[in-house]
Amino acid sequence: MHYKHVMLAVGLDMNASSLVYKAEEMAVTNGAKLSIIHVDRDIASFYDGILSVNLSEHEAAEHHNSVAMMRKLLDNLSTPIHKHLLYSGTIEDEIYRGVIENGVDLLVMGHHKSDMLNKILLSPTEPLVKTMPCDLLLLKP
């Protein structure tokens, strides 16, 4: 299959750089555009009703940190990035929105072992597999 627009959904962990290079290879092989999306969790809505604390300063600092880490991660790529999307919200909703709004036909994501709590509460993989309007490639970092 020939892809025209590859998007990498990346977390900013120690496995991110290997995923970036694998996604770049997929884009180059297909002669496709390469976009990157990262979603910062919307912490305020997660704790809504539980804590009466203003988390906007924390979210602003987290966003600034994400931008800096993403720039560092993408510095050594030889392929230009078509779009760099940095959203805040629910991971599966924001990735879905990024795919739809940008005409992506291949979404690349990393998938690694996680404990039972993450599988039950935090894993965005299952909802994305069920609803994704394009091909989805899960890579081991």
Side-chain angles (χ1 to χ4, degrees):
M1 178 164 256
H2 181 74
Y3 297 105
K4 296 177 183 157
H5 192 174
V6 175
M7 178 178 282
L8 171 64
V10 67
L12 299 174
D13 59 16
M14 64 184 188
N15 299 313
S17 61
S18 68
L19 293 173
V20 167
Y21 291 115
K22 289 178 182 181
E24 179 184 33
E25 182 180 347
M26 289 294 300
V28 169
T29 300
N30 284 279
K33 297 182 280 189
L34 176 62
S35 293
I36 307 287
I37 184 171
H38 171 74
V39 180
D40 285 332
R41 289 187 187 271
D42 184 3
I43 297 170
S45 68
F46 186 73
Y47 287 108
D48 190 29
I50 298 172
L51 297 174
S52 59
V53 176
N54 184 352
L55 296 171
S56 60
E57 285 183 28
H58 174 72
E59 288 180 340
E62 183 178 342
H63 180 78
H64 179 71
N65 187 41
S66 293
V67 169
M69 289 175 70
M70 191 62 77
R71 283 188 179 141
K72 183 177 178 182
L73 183 66
L74 301 177
D75 274 348
N76 297 322
L77 285 182
S78 58
T79 302
I81 300 297
H82 174 67
K83 286 196 177 175
H84 174 210
L85 306 171
L86 184 57
Y87 293 151
S88 179
T90 307
I91 293 173
E92 57 271 14
D93 292 343
E94 297 305 324
I95 291 175
Y96 182 85
R97 179 171 69 117
V99 165
I100 293 292
E101 290 177 355
N102 293 285
V104 172
D105 53 0
L106 176 63
L107 176 66
V108 178
M109 293 179 61
H111 185 64
H112 49 79
K113 289 184 179 181
S114 58
D115 60 26
M116 188 56 82
L117 180 64
N118 281 337
K119 287 180 182 178
I120 294 170
L121 299 177
L122 302 174
S123 175
T125 307
E126 185 178 346
L128 283 172
V129 169
K130 289 180 179 179
T131 62
M132 195 50 51
C134 67
D135 288 349
L136 178 62
L137 176 61
L138 295 176
L139 298 174
K140 284 186 175 183

